[in-house]
């Protein structure tokens, strides 16, 4: 059922305490608020209120077996929601919080099962976006928040993405800047014998290994073999309406192959090309470049917006170039592989 969604304009450099107070009161009153974070926009509710948490699943159309990340504003909140916190968590929190790192820890009984989809672990993040932190602090309660998109669609990195997906389904949307990073946080499981990355993000495995002084295992192999440690990984994700084909290989080989495919397919399909090079490499075709100078950070900021743009243009086949798997490139490729359902061709 459609309800009225209030839009609040808040500037992260000069937070309006009155507007923030309105959003915080909606959270404490059991409502749902979309707010910006440095990774992607989140759709949040009071993590201690079971009924409020259910509203998130409903608004997103999210399967109830996919647990949510709980966002905190300070380390005191961590002690309330997690138990047996290992030393590694304190080390990583010191180095990477506030920031784009989510830690999976043992859950405290205070957190309702709805949040963790019945698991005895909990995913926690202390975001660095000033509005996100001020909102959680003002609400005085941990806020669980998945990405603010309809389940399965690309995550929202700008207000207009949120509005397209969730207007009429939530109580409040905070309108702020576009997301600084543009990809969701790195999820690191600290509950096993070794730290395992369940989802790559802006904090890389190299950074984590350096900080911990131990090897950090990447769970990607497991995910590709369909034995996901992170429940969310079994679902198709980040998908625009178009079918995506992803091509990896030497730059010139990939370009020539995409040009041949585009020529062949364009008689029957509206083709879009997702490139990592300047658009003129694909003259004559509808091409969006994630970055002109091969900058992976810029590419990550633009990825989800670009997938949504192809939808708006009515593209039905996207031919995409793979990006180099270094730094945040690992996370970009993770999202692209999942968006194309692993239809990747190595040339
Ligand atoms: O950057 C982010 O992480 C954003 C912003 C809003 O903070 N949030 C986000 O949430 O991406 P979501 O729900 O779209 O993704 C959360 C991922 C899912 O893959 C979920 O399965 C996993 O984290 N997850 C949550 N709790 C978990 C747990 N206890 N154990 C393993 N994986 C968990
Ligand atoms: Mg998500």
């Amino acid at each position: 059922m459609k309800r009225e969604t209030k839009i609040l304009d808040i500037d992260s450099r000069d937070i309006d305490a009155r507007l923030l107070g309105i959003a915080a009161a909606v959270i404490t009153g059991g409502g749902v608020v979309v707010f910006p974070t440095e990774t992607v926009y989140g759709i949040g509710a009071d993590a201690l209120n079971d009924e409020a948490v259910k509203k998130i699943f409903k608004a997103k159309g999210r399967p109830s077996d996919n647990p949510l990340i709980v966002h905190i504003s300070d380390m005191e909140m961590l002690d309330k929601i997690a138990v047996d916190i290992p030393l590694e968590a304190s080390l990583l929190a010191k180095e990477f919080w506030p920031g784009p790192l989510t830690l999976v820890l043992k859950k405290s009984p205070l957190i309702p099962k709805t949040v963790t989809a019945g698991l005895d672990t909990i995913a926690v993040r202390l975001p660095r976006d000033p509005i996100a932190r001020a909102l959680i602090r003002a609400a005085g309660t941990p806020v669980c928040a998945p990405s603010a998109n309809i389940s399965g669609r690309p995550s929202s990195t700008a207000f207009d993405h949120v509005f397209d997906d969730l207007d009429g389904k939530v109580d409040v949307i905070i309108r702020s800047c576009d997301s600084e990073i543009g990809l969701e946080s790195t999820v690191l499981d600290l509950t096993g014998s070794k730290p395992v990355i369940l989802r790559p993000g802006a904090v890389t495995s190299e950074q984590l290994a350096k900080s911990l002084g131990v090897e950090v295992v990447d769970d990607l192999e497991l995910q590709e073999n369909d034995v996901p440690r992170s429940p969310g990984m079994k679902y198709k994700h980040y998908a625009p309406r178009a079918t995506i084909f992803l091509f990896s290989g030497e730059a010139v080989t990939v370009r020539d192959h995409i040009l041949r495919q585009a020529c062949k397919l364009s008689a029957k399909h509206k083709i879009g090309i997702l490139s990592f090079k300047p658009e003129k490499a694909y003259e004559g075709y509808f091409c969006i470049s994630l970055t002109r100078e091969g900058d992976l950070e810029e590419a990550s900021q633009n990825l989800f917006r670009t997938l949504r743009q192809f939808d708006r243009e009515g593209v039905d086949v996207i031919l995409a170039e793979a990006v180099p798997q270094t730094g945040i490139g690992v996370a970009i490729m993770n999202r692209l592989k999942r968006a194309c359902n692993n239809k990747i061709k190595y040339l």
Side-chain angles (χ1 to χ4, degrees), residues 9-210:
D9 278 294
I10 303 186
D11 180 348
S12 62
R13 288 155 306 180
D14 181 19
I15 295 175
D16 183 322
R18 189 185 65 84
L19 295 181
L20 191 84
I22 294 174
V26 170
I27 297 271
T28 50
V32 176
V33 173
V34 174
F35 61 95
T37 88
E38 71 277 20
T39 56
V40 298
Y41 274 72
I43 166 173
D46 180 354
L48 306 181
N49 179 339
D50 196 42
E51 287 309 310
V53 175
K54 283 185 185 143
K55 292 182 189 167
I56 296 181
F57 283 89
K58 185 155 180 244
K60 274 189 67 123
R62 183 179 178 102
S64 60
D65 63 351
N66 191 4
L68 308 180
I69 295 176
V70 177
H71 297 68
I72 56 175
S73 57
D74 54 60
M75 293 302 283
E76 267 164 50
M77 271 191 191
L78 180 66
D79 294 326
K80 271 205 212 153
I81 62 175
V83 296
D84 302 339
I85 299 170
L87 183 64
E88 286 90 342
S90 314
L91 275 172
L92 294 173
K94 228 183 204 143
E95 187 160 346
F96 298 104
W97 280 358
L101 176 66
T102 295
L103 299 176
V104 176
L105 303 167
K106 283 201 186 124
K107 149 190 189 304
S108 113
L110 208 66
I111 295 290
K113 283 203 171 113
T114 329
V115 173
T116 61
L119 298 175
D120 54 8
T121 57
I122 183 171
V124 190
R125 181 162 102 81
L126 202 166
R128 76 165 171 247
D129 182 281
I131 297 174
R133 284 182 73 190
L135 175 68
I136 304 162
R137 202 178 302 120
T141 183
V143 172
C144 57
S147 49
N149 51 283
I150 295 292
S151 245
R153 300 264 303 134
S155 299
S156 295
T157 58
F159 167 78
D160 54 319
H161 309 164
V162 174
F163 191 78
D164 282 351
D165 279 12
L166 296 172
D167 179 44
K169 296 184 172 154
V170 298
D171 299 298
V172 167
I173 301 175
I174 297 180
R175 172 163 39 198
S176 174
C177 309
D178 294 359
S179 313
E180 177 197 331
I181 296 170
L183 291 181
E184 309 85 344
S185 61
T186 305
V187 178
L188 183 72
D189 185 354
L190 290 177
T191 61
S193 55
K194 283 184 189 163
V196 178
I197 294 185
L198 302 181
R199 179 178 70 185
V203 176
T204 63
S205 60
E206 291 81 11
Q207 286 175 300
L208 293 167
K210 191 166 168 219

Side-chain angles (χ1 to χ4, degrees), residues 9 50 88 115 117 153 159 168 207 226 270 281 292 304-305 316 318 326 338 343:
D9 278 294
D50 196 42
E88 286 90 342
V115 173
R153 300 264 303 134
F159 167 78
Q207 286 175 300
D226 256 340
K270 178 150 187 192
R292 275 169 190 79
F304 290 139
R305 172 205 319 284
D316 56 11
I318 298 172
T326 54
R338 301 192 59 218
K343 282 190 289 299

Side-chain angles (χ1 to χ4, degrees), residues 234-283:
K234 69 177 183 237
Y235 296 106
K236 188 177 176 209
H237 250 77
Y238 316 114
R241 282 181 263 278
T243 306
I244 306 185
F245 296 93
L246 183 58
F247 301 98
S248 172
E250 222 244 300
V252 179
T253 316
V254 168
R255 190 203 56 200
D256 290 350
H257 186 82
I258 288 183
L259 281 171
R260 277 198 303 277
Q261 293 295 316
C263 177
K264 206 162 76 188
L265 293 168
S266 52
K268 284 202 178 143
H269 297 279
K270 178 150 187 192
I271 303 294
I273 297 172
L274 178 65
S275 169
F276 193 65
K277 305 184 187 68
E279 279 137 20
K280 65 177 188 307
Y282 294 102
E283 212 137 30

